[in-house]
Amino acid sequence: MTAVTTTSPWADPGDRRRVLGATGLLARFNHPEVLAAADVHVAQRLGSLAEETDDEVLLAVALAVRAVRTGSVCLDLATIGALPLEDDLELPWPEPTAWTAAVGRSALVAQQLLRLDGTRLYLDRYWREEGQVCDDLVARVRRDPPEVDAALLEAGLERVFPGEGYAEQRDAARGAAVRWTTVLTGGPGTGKTTTVAGLLTLVAEQHELLTGRPPRMALSAPTGKAAARLQEAVQEATERLSPGDQQRLGVLHASTLHRLLGWRPDSRVRFRHHRGNRLPHDVVVVDETSMVSLTMMARLLEAMRPDARLVLVGDPDQLASVEAGAVLADLVAGLEDSESSPVAALRRTHRFGARIGALADALRTGDGDAALAQLRAGGGEVELVDAADEAAMTRFRDEVADVAVELRRTGEAGDRSGALAALGGHRLLCAHREGPYGVGGWNRLVERLVAERTGVTHYDEWYAGRPILVTANDYDQLLNNGDMGATVRDGDGRLRVVVQVGGATRELATSRLAGVETVHAMTVHKSQGSQARVVSVVLPDEQSRLLTRELFYTAVTRAQERVRVVGTEAAVRAAVSREVQRASGLRERLRAALAEPPSGGVTLRE
């Protein structure tokens, strides 16, 4: 290993991101691109508790903390040295084999503050949670299947999913009906919710036959907005069923996972329902599972009764949870090749046209040439706006301004339906919040363009035509994080906000809304789970770390009719070639556990 100085060259001594008391490798790696101050402080504290002084071990601890902060469950000591950094930043990475051996000998591992599995280094909590998720899932997969009346099931499948148009959904529901656990995957518009509604009907029919009572069913999702969308979509799908099946399902309500498990004011990671106080439900459906973190999946699985059905629904190619873990992708990879795999995949999309579907497929499979071929072909459905072409960018900015001007016109006229139609007709998505490619810059630009056209500059926060995004759950107003609304002027001159919640339109005074922001543009993360008729995706420079295949795919698949990608061909290729890298051992644990013969019991980690 090369010699190390204790002086970090990247910032002045007063920069708050720099830990003045850090020495050795911690000081050298204390750089905005690598270790934050919090990472260093945690490593120093743990080292002090375990009386660990080895420089390389303390660096590994800090990097393990950083890994969780950036979405990984663990740190892979064999690959962390390949971390992409600034061109002029050279760091003295330890040699992986010797580094792993040093960590394995450390007091931190001996005292189980850290866990070392091969070259993967875990903070103890995440090692336990990953093991628990694996153990609980393997136990559920290996459990004797539920009792099912085969003839009744087949008759129900033909009734609920009639004809060849529902062949995929019928096959997926057939498999799910005879399992305790199902992982139902598919891109937007592939009929996941239709499958769920039909499956619940079939399960209810079987349950009534066997027990004489209807099953207790729960619909859930990671966020309030996703739960509201799930409830609305299941209700729409239920309305297409026969009157008898509608009556059998009744009215289903969805909640967040936190509410389902029972929020506790004394803990952020523990709930009222757990292994000693199970959920009472016979069936639990979780939508948008790609957004579920490892910790939340562990809490859900330990709260499930072994004899209750669990249906995990989502798109593994979308952006993962903002917290640690890529659980849905790990489950699909770890379970899909097992005997009697619980993974059911829907492929045929019904939301958008062939061109958007072909672009989404190219992104999902990492085919940059195919993605560019779709974007270059032109036409009304898919378009590439070259960010270097000033004329093309001027036309694009004018079209974006057209939407905002229409919002202002309908807002000033008090036209509620017109304002909501303009709001839902177009979505401008960015990877960054700030900077030339970010949400903040585009929001300011759009407001300036509207002022130039109308001759009216708004100095107040609220104005007619202001589009807003709810940024925090507001249970008093029955609003969820992610809801969108438009500001309109009443006949008496007062401003009101109209919000589409489910199938109903609600109106609120601006003074009753606190957690909101202007949303001429929004981040791709915030758009997850929503859709719009036209979607414009602003790609950042190809060097941006946020520019990934998952982000691009998520943005493109928000569109119903048209996609405009604003960026260079280099940015498109960079996005397609760059996958989100989240270190995890879950898929390998699942494969190894399912490859072993059943032992007659499963050891569960609490």
Side-chain angles (χ1 to χ4, degrees):
M1 188 178 72
T2 58
V4 179
T5 63
T6 59
T7 303
S8 181
W10 58 267
D12 66 76
D15 195 309
R16 65 179 182 178
R17 297 172 297 178
R18 181 174 177 178
V19 180
L20 297 182
T23 59
L25 286 174
L26 288 181
R28 188 66 181 86
F29 280 72
N30 180 202
H31 186 284
E33 291 277 300
V34 191
L35 294 182
D39 306 330
V40 176
H41 286 307
V42 172
Q44 290 175 323
R45 180 58 176 159
L46 289 177
S48 175
L49 289 173
E51 299 182 349
E52 177 60 68
T53 59
D54 188 303
D55 223 19
E56 293 187 359
V57 173
L58 295 178
L59 174 63
V61 176
L63 289 168
V65 176
R66 174 195 182 275
V68 171
R69 177 171 57 80
T70 56
S72 291
V73 174
C74 58
L75 169 72
D76 192 336
L77 294 169
T79 61
I80 186 63
L83 187 71
L85 301 171
E86 295 174 356
D87 293 339
D88 60 347
L89 180 60
E90 295 183 3
L91 294 173
W93 292 100
E95 193 280 319
T97 301
W99 194 12
T100 303
V103 172
R105 295 190 300 267
S106 74
L108 288 162
V109 170
Q111 296 177 29
Q112 298 186 346
L113 295 170
L114 298 178
R115 303 286 189 146
L116 186 64
D117 183 358
T119 61
R120 289 192 293 267
L121 181 65
Y122 295 80
L123 302 180
D124 178 65
R125 167 188 157 185
Y126 294 96
W127 179 84
R128 289 177 178 274
E129 288 178 345
E130 189 177 272
Q132 181 210 314
V133 168
C134 177
D135 292 344
D136 282 339
L137 279 170
V138 170
R140 291 185 62 84
V141 169
R142 284 182 166 166
R143 182 179 172 81
D144 289 341
E147 184 179 351
V148 170
D149 185 306
L152 182 65
L153 175 60
E154 288 303 317
L157 285 165
E158 292 300 325
R159 182 183 72 249
V160 175
F161 301 108
E164 286 304 309
Y166 288 102
E168 269 194 337
Q169 287 86 349
R170 187 165 55 245
D171 290 342
R174 178 184 290 108
V178 297
R179 297 190 185 100
W180 294 114
T181 303
T182 298
V183 181
L184 179 64
T185 69
T190 52
K192 296 190 296 294
T193 308
T194 299
T195 304
V196 166
L199 172 62
L200 292 178
T201 301
L202 300 172
V203 169
E205 189 174 39
Q206 294 283 334
H207 197 274
E208 289 171 3
L209 175 69
L210 296 171
T211 68
R213 66 170 178 84
R216 292 160 293 192
M217 297 187 285
L219 303 180
S220 189
T223 67
K225 179 65 174 176
R229 285 193 300 269
L230 172 61
Q231 180 175 317
E232 180 185 0
V234 169
Q235 186 60 40
E236 289 177 356
T238 301
E239 291 171 357
R240 295 193 289 269
L241 299 173
S242 68
D245 287 331
Q246 290 184 37
Q247 184 177 7
R248 180 174 287 113
L249 280 185
V251 178
L252 296 173
H253 298 283
S255 70
T256 63
L257 276 171
H258 284 78
R259 284 201 164 188
L260 175 70
L261 295 174
W263 176 79
R264 278 172 42 179
D266 62 329
S267 176
R268 296 181 57 221
V269 295
R270 292 290 175 179
F271 299 89
R272 287 192 299 106
H273 291 288
H274 45 74
R275 210 175 299 281
N277 180 31
R278 308 273 192 170
L279 289 165
H281 304 92
D282 302 298
V283 186
V284 174
V285 176
V286 180
D287 197 19
E288 297 289 356
T289 307
S290 64
M291 300 166 64
V292 177
S293 68
L294 177 68
T295 296
M296 282 303 296
M297 184 58 68
R299 299 292 85 82
L300 171 66
L301 288 171
E302 71 183 13
M304 289 289 300
R305 294 188 354 244
D307 60 345
R309 284 181 170 88
L310 174 63
V311 183
L312 303 173
V313 185
D315 184 351
D317 298 306
Q318 286 191 25
L319 288 166
S321 166
V322 295
E323 298 179 39
V327 176
L328 181 60
D330 283 344
L331 296 190
V332 172
L335 296 172
E336 64 182 349
D337 293 330
S338 64
E339 185 178 353
S340 301
S341 170
V343 179
L346 302 176
R347 300 295 185 192
R348 182 182 176 188
T349 183
H350 306 277
R351 175 186 289 183
F352 35 63
R355 290 281 306 285
I356 297 178
L359 176 59
D361 285 342
L363 299 180
R364 184 172 53 82
T365 58
D367 191 336
D369 290 336
L372 281 170
Q374 292 296 328
L375 291 168
R376 289 169 180 154
E381 194 175 335
V382 174
E383 176 187 5
L384 177 63
V385 179
D386 189 346
D389 185 336
E390 187 53 41
M393 285 300 296
T394 298
R395 288 192 299 271
F396 171 68
R397 285 190 285 263
D398 286 343
E399 289 187 37
V400 173
D402 288 343
V403 177
V405 169
E406 177 64 10
L407 265 171
R408 185 180 185 281
R409 184 191 69 78
T410 53
E412 285 288 1
D415 181 358
R416 273 76 168 161
S417 60
L420 288 174
L423 183 67
H426 179 254
R427 197 81 77 242
L428 177 60
L429 304 181
C430 305
H432 295 265
R433 288 195 58 83
E434 297 297 337
Y437 307 102
V439 168
W442 275 98
N443 276 332
R444 291 186 291 272
L445 173 62
V446 172
E447 290 184 335
R448 179 173 62 80
L449 292 174
V450 173
E452 290 174 356
R453 286 202 198 178
T454 63
V456 178
T457 300
H458 298 288
Y459 296 101
D460 293 330
E461 179 185 15
W462 289 100
Y463 55 86
R466 181 194 181 194
I468 61 99
L469 174 72
V470 178
T471 58
N473 293 333
D474 187 338
Y475 299 115
D476 291 335
Q477 308 301 330
L478 301 179
L479 295 177
N480 294 303
N481 185 355
D483 284 338
M484 296 178 66
T487 310
V488 300
R489 192 178 301 281
D490 260 348
D492 59 7
R494 291 184 301 178
L495 295 176
R496 309 279 289 177
V497 176
V498 290
V499 183
Q500 194 82 34
V501 180
T505 300
R506 300 189 61 233
E507 290 193 22
L508 302 106
T510 58
S511 59
R512 299 178 68 182
L513 297 172
V516 299
E517 61 185 32
T518 302
V519 69
H520 292 294
M522 67 191 303
T523 62
V524 178
H525 276 85
K526 287 285 188 181
S527 75
Q528 209 161 350
S530 68
Q531 59 185 25
R533 187 174 58 82
V534 179
V535 167
S536 299
V537 186
V538 178
L539 297 182
D541 183 86
E542 61 266 26
Q543 302 302 320
S544 170
R545 303 287 167 73
L546 296 181
L547 187 59
T548 63
R549 184 186 305 174
E550 291 84 352
L551 179 134
F552 199 1
Y553 171 86
T554 301
V556 164
T557 53
R558 300 309 94 207
Q560 295 170 293
E561 299 177 10
R562 183 184 176 198
V563 170
R564 291 182 297 196
V565 176
V566 182
T568 63
E569 291 191 0
V572 172
R573 288 194 179 278
V576 175
S577 65
R578 189 182 298 143
E579 291 185 89
V580 172
Q581 299 297 323
R582 290 199 168 189
S584 164
L586 181 57
R587 62 184 66 186
E588 287 79 7
R589 286 193 196 225
L590 287 169
R591 288 170 180 160
L594 291 170
E596 296 176 356
S599 61
V602 176
T603 301
L604 299 177
R605 296 170 176 82
E606 293 293 350

